[in-house]
Each structure stands twice: as structure tokens, then as C-alpha cells.
DNA sequence: ATCCTTTACGTACGAATGTACATATAATGT
DNA sequence: ACATTATATGTACATTCGTACGTAAAGGAT
């Protein structure tokens, strides 16, 4: 009812923030951050809200359920990664350049971003039990394979995709990761 | 205080079960079952107790914390899988037999057991945040590589291990798994 | 200006969870 | 037989969670 008088020092700003367009997007990004940092098990409405710096009620307003929020988050993540993958393969002019692009992709995923690796594995686990997320992974895989098929035949692309997956995963979990040279050799060996 | 008289029909057996040696082992196995069926997030004291058919209190008696129980479970799982892996490689008489053994391993993992695949990925996720579990995965990987090095040089073993991982994971998640012939070709192609 | 719709916010509640713990029973040693 | 120890069991409690919901403020139409 009462308004704070202008001259007052104004102790507690009761309801500060307002008018935050794009908040829905920020919540999705915050969800990905939380998943990467705390794992899916530690991803709660409250933690997401804390990271996005919004009140709890905002999360339930923008998303009807936590599951929906998580699905949107994983969907955004997969789309982002798939786009990068596709762009690099599209930029390769010939097969040799494509081989180098693959090597770069693996090396960047490994050395560049522990976050992406964690998100990927979290998605795999979740997809094992959630049909919506399984669809996300399948579309992702299809796009990856399609990108590889710009330069390699279908069977080669299929196996190469698996090799990329294994190299990434193995090295992220290992205390003694393969050297870039070893990664390069493994890929070239399969593609020779 | 009072004892049920012999002639009585005896309505409710208050405390039926007792003297259950090996219960600790059963709890570990039950934990693996629950992880595979419900995921790590759905793995609780109560659910493990239900599967093992023991009261809740029994789980907290045998294990000081849920984390300890999970660590023992994953440790047992990794040891079991690694042993099978090692046995098959040890049984191979020459390199050709070893190649066939690898193909069999991948095919069996894929077609044989969705359970194992789920447990593996759950372990990977957990290992990303739990040092104890990370040690479990690293020892597992070391044993696998060692087994492969019975027949292949170190670099080959390293890449082959990754390829096996990727093939298994990809096919478990895919709606259109690779045929056994495709799997065989991919492995032989890398080892050629 | 007045109304209506959308967006935002705070609080509350039932359900589930990890764990502690008092009690009870079997096993074992003497 | 008795005492001591290891094992087993049921219950309770503080905490955290997803979600519901009443209220408040902003945007936009008229």
C-alpha cells in the first residue's frame, strides 16, 4: 500500500527486478550450466533459478515441469554442437581437409571443453530412460553422420563417428590422455 | 516377553527373516540392478532394500553411506567386466583370434546386454564428479588396455579400446544399430 | 484513463530421501 | 548357562524437492 518516500534512504528494495525479456532463454542456458557443474541429479528448480539469478517461481512459470526445461536445454545443446560439427565438415574442400577437420574436432572437444563432454554423457544417460531425449540424441547422431557423409561413404562415416565418440570419451576420462599425435594417428589409421 | 504357544495358529509373524549371511553381497548386487533399471538418480536406500528384500535399516547397517554402497557396486561391476574382457583376450592364441575375440566382445556387449551399457554410462557420469569412481574407471581402462596389449602394440591397443567404446555406445543409443557385419568391418578396418 | 492479458514473484505443502538410533535377536566364546 | 559381540530391524527426523497458487506489477489495447 504505502510507497517509499523519495527522500528516504530506502533500506530494503522489496521487489527490485522486473521486465526481463529473454529470461526464458537464460533459464535454459542456466540449466545447461547446472547440469555440467552439478550433474542431472543435482539439477533442481532452485539451483537453476540461483544461477540465472531469478526467483524460484519464475522457473515454474516459464516451464510447466522440470522435465520440459531439461529437454529444451539438451535440445539446444545438441543443436549447437551439431551445427559446429556440420560447419567444419562443410568448410572442408576435399577429403584430406575433411580428415584434418575431424582431427581438429576431436582435439578441440577433448582439450577445449570438459563441459561439453560432461553434458554429452549426461544426455546419454538421460536418453536411456527418456524417449524425448532419446529422440534428441538420435537426431544429433543423424546430423553428425550426414556431415561426415559429405566426404566419406556411409559405412566409413558410421564407423568414424563411433571412433570419434570413443576417442573423446576415453580421453576425457583418462588421467593420461592421448597426445594430439596419437589421436591423429588413430583417425588416419581408420581412414587410410 | 511372551512366546507364541505351540498350538496357536500364529497370525502375524512379527520378525520373520533372520540370519542372512552374504546379505552385504546381495545388497551390492541389488544396487547394480537398481542403477541399471532406475538410474543413479533413482537409486535410494529404500529401493535397494526393496530389491534385495531386506528392511531399510539393513542398508545403513552394512554401509556407512549410500556413496560407499554405490562405490562398491561400481567397483564390482568394473572388475567383472574387466575380467571377462581379459579372459577372452587371454584365450586368443594368435592375432587373428584376438581380432575375432574383440568382435565377439563388442557384439555381445551390444546385443547381449543393455544393462551393462547403462551401467557403464552411469559410471562414467558419476566418475566425472567422484574421485573414488574415477579411480574405478581408470583401473578398468588400464586393465582393458593391458588385455589388448597381449596381442597389439600399445598405440594400437589405445585406439582400439576407444573404437570399441564408441561402437558400443553408438549402437546402444541408435535406433538402427550397425549390423554384426558392419561392426566386424569397422574393427578389421582399424586393425588392418 | 481503464481494462485485460502476460509476466513475475513469494510462500506453502505433501512427498521422498539420507541418516541416526534405540531396540531386538542370533552367534560366539567361556 | 551366561555374557559379550555382531547382526538385524523398525521408526523417527531434519532436509530438500517439485509443484501449486494467490498476489503483484508491467504491456498493450481501446
Amino acid at each position: 500500500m504505502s510507497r517509499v518516500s523519495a527522500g528516504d534512504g530506502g533500506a530494503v528494495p522489496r521487489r527490485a527486478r522486473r521486465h526481463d525479456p529473454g529470461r526464458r532463454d537464460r533459464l535454459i542456458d542456466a540449466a545447461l550450466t547446472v547440469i555440467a557443474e552439478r550433474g542431472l541429479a543435482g539439477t533442481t528448480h532452485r539451483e537453476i533459478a540461483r544461477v540465472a539469478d531469478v526467483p524460484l517461481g519464475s522457473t515454474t512459470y516459464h516451464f510447466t515441469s522440470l522435465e520440459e526445461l531439461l529437454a529444451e536445454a539438451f535440445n539446444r545443446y545438441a543443436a549447437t554442437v551439431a551445427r559446429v560439427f556440420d560447419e567444419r565438415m562443410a568448410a572442408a574442400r576435399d577429403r584430406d581437409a575433411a580428415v584434418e577437420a575431424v582431427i581438429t574436432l576431436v582435439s578441440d572437444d577433448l582439450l577445449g571443453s570438459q563441459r561439453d563432454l560432461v553434458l554429452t554423457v549426461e544426455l546419454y544417460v538421460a536418453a536411456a530412460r527418456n524417449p524425448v531425449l532419446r529422440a534428441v540424441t538420435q537426431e544429433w547422431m543423424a546430423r553428425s553422420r550426414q556431415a561426415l557423409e559429405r566426404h566419406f561413404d556411409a559405412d566409413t562415416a558410421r564407423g568414424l563417428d563411433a571412433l570419434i565418440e570413443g576417442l573423446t570419451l576415453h580421453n576425457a576420462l583418462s588421467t593420461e590422455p592421448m597426445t594430439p599425435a596419437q589421436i591423429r594417428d588413430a583417425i588416419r589409421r581408420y581412414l587410410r
Side-chain angles (χ1 to χ4, degrees), chain A:
Chain A
M1 293 300 173
S2 68
R3 228 164 270 262
V4 176
S5 64
D8 194 333
V12 181
R14 253 338 150 97
R15 302 226 173 143
R17 280 178 239 92
R18 270 299 194 168
H19 181 51
D20 183 4
R23 171 175 293 194
R24 198 171 187 279
D25 274 347
R26 290 221 331 280
L27 281 171
I28 294 176
D29 288 336
L32 287 175
T33 299
V34 174
I35 294 169
E37 286 181 357
R38 316 262 177 175
L40 250 189
T43 302
T44 66
H45 280 120
R46 288 166 178 82
E47 187 66 15
I48 294 170
R50 197 185 61 78
V51 169
D53 193 29
V54 301
L56 170 62
S58 189
T59 63
T60 60
Y61 170 72
H62 286 286
F63 303 91
T64 62
S65 73
L66 181 59
E67 190 180 358
E68 180 194 319
L69 173 48
L70 297 178
E72 291 221 32
F74 277 125
N75 202 44
R76 171 173 299 184
Y77 169 69
T80 303
V81 177
R83 190 169 44 77
V84 171
F85 197 103
D86 193 59
E87 283 172 358
R88 297 220 184 183
M89 295 310 295
R93 306 285 289 272
D94 53 19
R95 188 188 152 110
D96 282 347
V99 174
E100 289 306 313
V102 169
I103 292 168
T104 302
L105 274 166
V106 173
S107 297
D108 277 12
D109 276 0
L110 294 182
L111 307 177
S113 163
Q114 176 78 2
R115 175 181 182 271
D116 279 13
L117 191 279
V118 170
L119 285 175
T120 301
V121 185
E122 293 279 2
L123 172 56
Y124 287 171
V125 169
R129 289 185 191 78
N130 188 327
V132 175
L133 297 182
R134 190 153 33 208
V136 172
T137 64
Q138 278 161 12
E139 192 189 327
W140 181 8
M141 280 188 190
R143 282 193 62 175
S144 297
R145 232 183 306 157
Q146 217 169 348
L148 290 173
E149 286 176 5
R150 290 171 177 274
H151 302 281
F152 309 100
D153 68 85
D155 279 346
T156 302
R158 194 80 191 254
L160 178 55
D161 202 21
L163 178 60
I164 292 170
E165 186 83 55
L167 287 172
T168 306
L169 210 60
H170 249 62
N171 280 276
L173 291 173
S174 175
T175 41
E176 307 161 9
M178 295 168 74
T179 66
Q182 284 176 314
I183 292 172
R184 165 180 296 266
D185 283 350
I187 291 171
R188 294 187 67 98
R189 178 166 181 166
Y190 179 81
L191 292 175
R192 109 195 101 154

